[in-house]
C-alpha cells in the first residue's frame, strides 16, 4: 500500500501526463463518420438544402450569357513562297522549344496589344451594344479616348479565355457576353487579328533588316571604293602590274597573300617551269647520247630500233641468203655470185650511213637541249633577282589588296542579302491558321442550372462536413461507448443501460435485469483489469455529481460479494454521503470516526443484508473533509481494510472542484472512472482526467452509465442491443 501508484502496474494508459491523448482516433474511422452523419442528419440536410436553394436563386436571377468559340492551329515552322537559307526561318518557331512557343502564342492572344487591335477593328469604343453585352455603362461624353480604349481592352481581356489541350497545337479561343452575335464577332476578330499581328511582326522585322542592310551596304560601298583607289595609286606609283583578278581564287584557296601575282612573278614561274622542263629534256638527251657514244655503231639499241636500219638489215639478210644459194650452184667467179656480192657491199654502205645519221641526230638533240637549258637558266636567274627586288615593294600592296578584297566580299554578301530581303519581304506565310470560325451560339453557356446545382451540392456537402467536424471537435459529450476511447483515451470496462420506469436499486435486485447483466459484465472486466488480476482496493469516481458513481460502487461491491468474496464498501464522500440512506441506517459513526480516532473498522462497519458485503458509511460530516482524507490515518485504514477483506470498494466524491478523489486515487490499486452517457459538458471530462492524472493513479478504465441504446441508435444502433436478448420465452 505504500508503493506509488505508478509502480504497481496496470493497463496501458492512453493519455499522457499532460492530459493529452497519446493515441488519436484513426484518421478514417468510417463507422464513426457514419455515426456522426446520422446524428447530425438534420443539420447536414439543412446546410445542403440551403446551398441548393441559394444556387437555384442565383441561377434564376443571373443574366444569360453566351460563349462563342473558335479553334486555331499553331504550327512549328513558317512556310515561305520564296525559299531562302536557314536563317530565314522564324526565330519563334524553334523545333526544340514547341511548348514554350505555344505558351508564348497564348500570352500574345491574352495581351493588351491584341485586345486593342480587336477593339479598333470592331470600333467597340463607340459601340453602345458592346457595353450592354458586358453589363457595363457606356463612358460619359467627354471621357478621354485613352481611358475608353483602356477600359474596352480590359473588358476584352477579362472575358476572353484560351484553352490549350495537352499534346495538341490546336487552341480554343472563347469569349462570353450577354449578346450571342457580339460574342461570335469578337472571337472571329480575335482569330483574324491574331494572324494579322503575326504577319505584321514578321513584316516589321523584315523591314528593319532591309533598312539595316541598306545602310551597311552604302557604308561598305564607300569603303570598297576608297580601298580600290588606294591600291591602284600605290601600284601606279611603284610600277607594279598585278594579275590580281586572275589569281584571286587560287590565292584564296592556297592561302597565299591577298592581291594576286605580279607580271614579274608570273614570268618567273613560267620561265622556271620551262627551265625545269628543259633540264629534264637535256638529261634525257644526255642519257641517250652517252648510251651510243664510245660503243660499236651497230650495237646501240637506238640504232637498231631505227626503221631505216631495220629495213636495211632485213634486205641485207635476204641478199646474203641469195648469195649462199648462188655459191652452192656456181663458183666464186661466176657473174651471178659477183653480182650478189656487189649488192651486199652496197647495202652495207647504206647501213653504215643510216647508223651514222641516227648517232648524229642524237648528238644534235643533246646539244640543242644543253643550249636551251642554259638560256632558260640564265633568264630564270635574271627574273629571280627582279622578283626579289619587287617583293620589297609589294608588302604594302598586299595589305591594300587584302583590304580591298575583304571589302569586296563584304559588299557582295550584303548586296546579295539585300536582294533576297527585297524579293521575300511581305510574302511570308503565317504559321497560324483558323480551323473553325466562331458561330453565333444558340443556347446560353451560363447560368447552367445543373452545373450550379452540382457545385452547390458539393459546396453544401463540404460545408456540412466542416460544420459536423468542428461540432464534433468542440463536443466532449460521451454519447456512445466508442466515444470513451475516442474522446477520453480510456479503456471501456462496461456499459450500463438506463433504467426504464424503475429505480436503479429495484433493477439491481433483479439478477435478470439489463442493469444487473451490465454490472456482471463490468465485474468480469475488473477481474482482469490489472496484471495481477482484481485490484484489492478499487476507487470509483466521476467528473461531476449524479453520474451513477454511488450506484456503480454498490453494484460492483454486491457483484463481487455474490462471487463469495468478502467485500467492504466505503462511502468516502464526506460532503454529500448517500450510502446510509440506501440501507436505512443512521450516519453517526463511519469513516470520519475512523479518521479522527484509533478505532478499528469492525467497530463501525455495518451489515448490508447480503452475505459477504460489509458497509462503511461516511459518518458525521466533518468541518474540513479534505484535511481528514489527506491524513496518514486514511492510508492505515485502507491497509487494515485490505488485510480484513478480499476487495475494498471506495465510493469517492466527484473530481471537479474537490481534491478528495485525486488524493485517494493515489492510495488505491485501481481507479474506475464513471461517465454518464449523453450528458452535456464543456471540457469537464478532460479537466477531471487531467486533475486525476496529476496524482499518477492506476486508471483501469471507464464505465458508461445511463446509456440509452434507442437514443444513441442514430449513431451506433447496431453496436449494443440490450433489447434483443431476454430471459424466458423471448425470441433469441
Amino acid at each position: 500500500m505504500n508503493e506509488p501508484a505508478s509502480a504497481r502496474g496496470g493497463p496501458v494508459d492512453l493519455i499522457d501526463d499532460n492530459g493529452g491523448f497519446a493515441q488519436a482516433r484513426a484518421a478514417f474511422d468510417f463507422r464513426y463518420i457514419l455515426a456522426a452523419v446520422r446524428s447530425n442528419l438534420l443539420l447536414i440536410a439543412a446546410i445542403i438544402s440551403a446551398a441548393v436553394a441559394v444556387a437555384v436563386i442565383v441561377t434564376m436571377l443571373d443574366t444569360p450569357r453566351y460563349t462563342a468559340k473558335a479553334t486555331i492551329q499553331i504550327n512549328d515552322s513558317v512556310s515561305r513562297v520564296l525559299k531562302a537559307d536557314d536563317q530565314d526561318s522564324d526565330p519563334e518557331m524553334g523545333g526544340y522549344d514547341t511548348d514554350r512557343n505555344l505558351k508564348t502564342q497564348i500570352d500574345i492572344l491574352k495581351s493588351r496589344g491584341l485586345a486593342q487591335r480587336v477593339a479598333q477593328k470592331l470600333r467597340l469604343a463607340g459601340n453602345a451594344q458592346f457595353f450592354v453585352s458586358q453589363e457595363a455603362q457606356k463612358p460619359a461624353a467627354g471621357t478621354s479616348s485613352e481611358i475608353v480604349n483602356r477600359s474596352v481592352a480590359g473588358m476584352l481581356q477579362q472575358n476572353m479565355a484560351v484553352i490549350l489541350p495537352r499534346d495538341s497545337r490546336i487552341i480554343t479561343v472563347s469569349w462570353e457576353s450577354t449578346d450571342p452575335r457580339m460574342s461570335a464577332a469578337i472571337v472571329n476578330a480575335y482569330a483574324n487579328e491574331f494572324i494579322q499581328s503575326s504577319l505584321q511582326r514578321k513584316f516589321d522585322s523584315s523591314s528593319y533588316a532591309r533598312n539595316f542592310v541598306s545602310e551597311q551596304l552604302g557604308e561598305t560601298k564607300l569603303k570598297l571604293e576608297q580601298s580600290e583607289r588606294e591600291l591602284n595609286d600605290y601600284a601606279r606609283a611603284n610600277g607594279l602590274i598585278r594579275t590580281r583578278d586572275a589569281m584571286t581564287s587560287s590565292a584564296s584557296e592556297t592561302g597565299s597573300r591577298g592581291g594576286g601575282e605580279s607580271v614579274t612573278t608570273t614570268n618567273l614561274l613560267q620561265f622556271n617551269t620551262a627551265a625545269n622542263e628543259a633540264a629534264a629534256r637535256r638529261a634525257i638527251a644526255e642519257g641517250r647520247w652517252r648510251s651510243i657514244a664510245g660503243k660499236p655503231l651497230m650495237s646501240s639499241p637506238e640504232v637498231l630500233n631505227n626503221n631505216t636500219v631495220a629495213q636495211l638489215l632485213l634486205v641485207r639478210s635476204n641478199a646474203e641468203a641469195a648469195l649462199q644459194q648462188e655459191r652452192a650452184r656456181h663458183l666464186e667467179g661466176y657473174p651471178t655470185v659477183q653480182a650478189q656480192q656487189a649488192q651486199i657491199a652496197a647495202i652495207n654502205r647504206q647501213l653504215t650511213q643510216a647508223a651514222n645519221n641516227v648517232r648524229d641526230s642524237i648528238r644534235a638533240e643533246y646539244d640543242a637541249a644543253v643550249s636551251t637549258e642554259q638560256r632558260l637558266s640564265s633568264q630564270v636567274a635574271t627574273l629571280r633577282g627582279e622578283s626579289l627586288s619587287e617583293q620589297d615593294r609589294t608588302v604594302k600592296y598586299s595589305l591594300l589588296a587584302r583590304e580591298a578584297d575583304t571589302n569586296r566580299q563584304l559588299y557582295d554578301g550584303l548586296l546579295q542579302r539585300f536582294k533576297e530581303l527585297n524579293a521575300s519581304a511581305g510574302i511570308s506565310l503565317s504559321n497560324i491558321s483558323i480551323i473553325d470560325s466562331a458561330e453565333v451560339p444558340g443556347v446560353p453557356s451560363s447560368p447552367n442550372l445543373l452545373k450550379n446545382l452540382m457545385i452547390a451540392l458539393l459546396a453544401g456537402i463540404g460545408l456540412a462536413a466542416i460544420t459536423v467536424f468542428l461540432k464534433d471537435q468542440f463536443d466532449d459529450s460521451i454519447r456512445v461507448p466508442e466515444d470513451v476511447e475516442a474522446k477520453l483515451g480510456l479503456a471501456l470496462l462496461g456499459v450500463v443501460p438506463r433504467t426504464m420506469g424503475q429505480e436503479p436499486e429495484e433493477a439491481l435486485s433483479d439478477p435478470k435485469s439489463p442493469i444487473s447483466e451490465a454490472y456482471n459484465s463490468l465485474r468480469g472486466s475488473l477481474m482482469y483489469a490489472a496484471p495481477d488480476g482484481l485490484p484489492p482496493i478499487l476507487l470509483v469516481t466521476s467528473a461531476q455529481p449524479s453520474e451513477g458513481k454511488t450506484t456503480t460502487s454498490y453494484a460492483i461491491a454486491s457483484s463481487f460479494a455474490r462471487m463469495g468474496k468478502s467485500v467492504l464498501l466505503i462511502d468516502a464522500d464526506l460532503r454529500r454521503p448517500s450510502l446510509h440512506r440506501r440501507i436505512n441506517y443512521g450516519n453517526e459513526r463511519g469513516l470520519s470516526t475512523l479518521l479522527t480516532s484509533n478505532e478499528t473498522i469492525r467497530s463501525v462497519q455495518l451489515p448490508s443484508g447480503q452475505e459477504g458485503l460489509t458497509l462503511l458509511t461516511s459518518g458525521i460530516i466533518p468541518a474540513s473533509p479534505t484535511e481528514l482524507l489527506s491524513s496518514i490515518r486514511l492510508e492505515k485504514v485502507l491497509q487494515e481494510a485490505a488485510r480484513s477483506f478480499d476487495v475494498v470498494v471506495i465510493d469517492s466524491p466527484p473530481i471537479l472542484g474537490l481534491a478528495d478523489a485525486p488524493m485517494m486515487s493515489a492510495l488505491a490499486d485501481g481507479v474506475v472512472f464513471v461517465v454518464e452517457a449523453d450528458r452535456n459538458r464543456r471540457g469537464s471530462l478532460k479537466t477531471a482526467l487531467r486533475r486525476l492524472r496529476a496524482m499518477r493513479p492506476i486508471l483501469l478504465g471507464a464505465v458508461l452509465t445511463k446509456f440509452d441504446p434507442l437514443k444513441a441508435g442514430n449513431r451506433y444502433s447496431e453496436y449494443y442491443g440490450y433489447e434483443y436478448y431476454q430471459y424466458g420465452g423471448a425470441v433469441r
Side-chain angles (χ1 to χ4, degrees):
M1 292 296 299
N2 294 326
E3 297 181 67
S6 61
R8 281 177 259 156
V12 177
D13 200 354
L14 295 178
I15 303 182
D16 56 19
D17 296 338
N18 297 325
F21 293 112
Q23 180 180 1
R25 184 190 304 139
F28 294 98
D29 190 346
F30 293 103
R31 296 185 63 192
Y32 187 87
I33 294 175
L34 180 61
V37 171
R38 294 174 62 182
S39 63
N40 296 276
L41 195 58
L42 293 178
L43 177 62
I44 295 174
I47 294 175
I48 295 177
S49 300
V52 172
V54 170
V56 172
I57 294 173
V58 171
T59 301
M60 295 302 178
L61 296 179
D62 194 10
T63 304
R65 302 181 70 85
Y66 299 84
T67 301
K69 298 180 180 180
T71 54
I72 301 174
Q73 180 180 356
I74 301 177
N75 297 320
D76 285 342
S77 59
V78 178
S79 300
R80 286 184 178 272
V81 176
L82 295 180
K83 298 295 182 181
D85 54 11
D86 295 339
Q87 296 177 353
D88 290 334
S89 61
D90 194 339
E92 296 180 358
M93 296 298 159
Y96 299 100
D97 208 2
T98 303
D99 292 339
R100 182 176 296 179
N101 171 59
L102 290 175
K103 292 178 180 179
T104 301
Q105 297 300 324
I106 291 176
D107 291 338
I108 293 174
L109 270 170
K110 297 179 179 179
S111 65
R112 180 175 54 85
L114 187 59
Q116 291 176 346
R117 289 177 63 99
V118 172
Q120 293 175 0
K121 178 70 175 180
L122 299 179
R123 300 179 181 178
L124 298 178
N127 191 340
Q129 187 179 359
F130 170 75
F131 292 96
V132 172
S133 68
Q134 293 302 298
E135 299 178 322
Q137 293 183 353
K138 185 178 180 180
T143 306
S144 173
S145 60
E146 182 180 356
I147 297 177
V148 175
N149 293 333
R150 187 182 303 113
S151 175
V152 171
M155 286 187 284
L156 288 175
Q157 288 180 279
Q158 181 179 1
N159 292 290
M160 196 268 290
V162 180
I163 300 175
L164 174 62
R166 189 172 183 179
D167 299 331
S168 175
R169 297 189 181 94
I170 298 179
I171 63 177
T172 301
V173 181
S174 61
W175 202 80
E176 185 183 60
S177 70
T178 60
D179 188 345
R181 296 185 179 277
M182 181 63 66
S183 297
I186 289 178
V187 169
N188 289 329
Y190 254 109
N192 293 326
E193 290 303 315
F194 181 46
I195 296 176
Q196 293 297 325
S197 65
S198 177
L199 294 175
Q200 185 65 41
R201 289 195 305 274
K202 294 178 176 64
F203 181 80
D204 293 342
S205 176
S206 176
S207 176
Y208 173 80
R210 292 196 308 275
N211 294 334
F212 177 77
V213 172
S214 177
E215 293 176 0
Q216 295 297 317
L217 189 62
E219 295 177 0
T220 306
K221 182 178 180 181
L222 295 177
K223 292 181 180 179
L224 176 60
E225 293 177 354
Q226 181 66 24
S227 60
E228 290 283 359
R229 190 177 295 109
E230 293 178 354
L231 179 63
N232 292 333
D233 292 343
Y234 182 81
R236 185 179 297 106
N238 290 273
L240 298 176
I241 301 176
R242 311 292 289 184
T243 59
R244 178 176 52 81
D245 294 336
M247 301 296 294
T248 298
S249 59
S250 62
S252 60
E253 293 175 359
T254 59
S256 62
R257 73 177 175 272
E261 301 293 343
S262 66
V263 174
T264 304
T265 304
T266 303
N267 292 336
L268 174 60
L269 293 175
Q270 294 175 353
F271 275 101
N272 187 64
T273 302
N276 292 334
E277 293 175 355
R281 289 194 296 271
R282 189 267 309 161
I284 294 173
E286 183 179 2
R288 293 177 63 192
W289 170 247
R290 292 186 182 278
S291 66
I292 196 173
K295 293 182 179 180
L297 187 61
M298 299 303 296
S299 63
S300 174
E302 294 287 344
V303 175
L304 296 177
N305 291 332
N306 186 266
N307 292 332
T308 302
V309 173
Q311 291 177 0
L312 291 174
L313 288 175
L314 179 61
V315 172
R316 189 181 67 177
S317 177
N318 293 332
E320 288 178 351
L323 177 62
Q324 292 297 330
Q325 291 178 1
E326 290 296 332
R327 283 179 176 176
R329 293 194 299 267
H330 305 286
L331 296 176
E332 284 293 330
Y334 195 75
T336 57
V337 173
Q338 291 180 355
Q340 288 294 331
Q341 291 177 348
Q343 184 180 3
I344 290 173
I347 292 173
N348 286 333
R349 288 192 299 272
Q350 293 177 1
L351 185 61
T352 301
Q353 183 63 37
N356 289 328
N357 292 337
V358 171
R359 183 179 61 180
D360 293 340
S361 65
I362 293 175
R363 175 65 183 181
E365 181 180 353
Y366 169 68
D367 292 339
V370 171
S371 177
T372 302
E373 180 184 9
Q374 290 176 352
R375 290 196 305 271
L376 289 175
S377 297
S378 176
Q379 188 65 29
V380 167
T382 302
L383 291 174
R384 184 182 294 113
E386 294 178 358
S387 179
L388 291 176
S389 176
E390 188 181 68
Q391 286 182 359
D392 296 335
R393 303 192 305 273
T394 58
V395 174
K396 184 176 180 180
Y397 181 88
S398 298
L399 296 176
L400 295 174
R402 185 176 293 110
E403 182 180 359
D405 287 340
T406 302
N407 291 334
R408 182 178 293 103
Q409 293 175 2
L410 181 59
Y411 177 79
D412 292 341
L414 289 174
L415 183 60
Q416 179 65 24
R417 185 60 175 168
F418 184 72
K419 292 178 180 179
E420 293 173 355
L421 289 174
N422 284 332
S424 61
I427 58 175
S428 294
L429 298 180
S430 176
N431 64 310
I432 304 170
S433 59
I434 299 176
I435 303 300
D436 292 323
S437 298
E439 297 180 352
V440 178
V443 294
S445 58
S446 67
N448 189 328
L449 180 59
L450 180 60
K451 178 180 178 181
N452 292 344
L453 288 178
M454 293 299 298
I455 294 175
L457 182 62
L458 294 176
I461 292 174
L463 182 60
I466 294 174
T467 303
V468 172
F469 174 76
L470 294 177
K471 180 182 176 183
D472 183 74
Q473 291 298 312
F474 288 104
D475 182 17
D476 66 345
S477 298
I478 306 300
R479 293 186 173 87
V480 293
E482 280 73 9
D483 289 345
V484 173
E485 294 184 1
K487 294 184 177 181
L488 302 181
L490 293 177
L492 181 64
L493 298 176
V495 180
V496 180
R498 181 183 296 276
T499 57
M500 301 299 177
Q502 62 180 157
E503 295 296 326
E505 293 80 2
E506 298 177 4
L508 286 174
S509 63
D510 183 6
K512 298 181 180 180
S513 65
I515 292 183
S516 297
E517 292 292 345
Y519 280 116
N520 289 336
S521 177
L522 173 61
R523 178 188 63 194
S525 299
L526 292 175
M527 291 292 295
Y528 304 99
D532 297 333
L534 177 64
I537 300 177
L538 292 175
L539 177 71
V540 181
T541 186
S542 64
Q544 295 177 344
S546 304
E547 295 198 49
K549 169 179 55 63
T550 300
T551 301
T552 300
S553 302
Y554 185 84
I556 292 174
S558 176
S559 178
F560 282 119
R562 287 196 299 269
M563 290 181 61
K565 294 182 178 292
S566 59
V567 182
L568 175 63
L569 175 59
I570 302 176
D571 186 358
D573 190 350
L574 300 184
R575 288 177 172 80
R576 296 176 60 185
S578 59
L579 182 60
H580 63 284
R581 289 193 297 271
R582 184 182 295 271
I583 59 177
N584 294 323
Y585 278 109
N587 198 25
E588 290 79 10
R589 294 171 59 81
L591 180 60
S592 60
T593 304
L594 296 177
L595 296 178
T596 57
S597 66
N598 292 325
E599 295 188 30
T600 62
I601 296 177
R602 292 185 179 277
S603 63
V604 296
Q605 68 184 20
L606 298 173
S608 64
Q610 179 182 350
E611 184 179 357
L613 177 59
T614 304
L615 306 178
L616 179 60
T617 60
S618 64
I620 299 174
I621 298 177
S624 180
T626 304
E627 294 181 0
L628 286 180
L629 294 176
S630 61
S631 63
I632 301 178
R633 176 61 181 165
L634 177 60
E635 184 177 355
K636 294 180 179 180
V637 171
L638 294 179
Q639 290 177 355
E640 180 184 354
R643 289 193 298 268
S644 303
F645 298 91
D646 295 333
V647 181
V648 178
V649 180
I650 304 173
D651 180 15
S652 71
I655 298 174
L656 292 179
L658 304 174
D660 301 352
M663 288 189 299
M664 286 187 291
S665 67
L667 302 176
D669 295 315
V671 178
V672 177
F673 192 71
V674 177
V675 180
E676 181 181 352
D678 202 22
R679 181 171 180 175
N680 293 328
R681 299 177 177 86
R682 296 183 182 274
S684 61
L685 287 177
K686 296 180 181 179
T687 303
L689 288 173
R690 191 177 299 110
R691 291 192 58 195
L692 189 62
R693 280 186 170 79
M695 304 304 295
R696 308 186 71 83
I698 300 177
L699 278 171
L700 301 179
V703 178
L704 184 64
T705 61
K706 305 180 184 181
F707 175 63
D708 188 355
L710 297 179
K711 186 176 181 181
N714 58 351
R715 292 176 65 88
Y716 283 102
S717 60
E718 73 278 12
Y719 193 83
Y720 286 99
Y722 293 102
E723 304 301 330
Y724 63 75
Y725 191 87
Q726 302 286 341
Y727 284 93
V731 178
R732 301 184 182 182

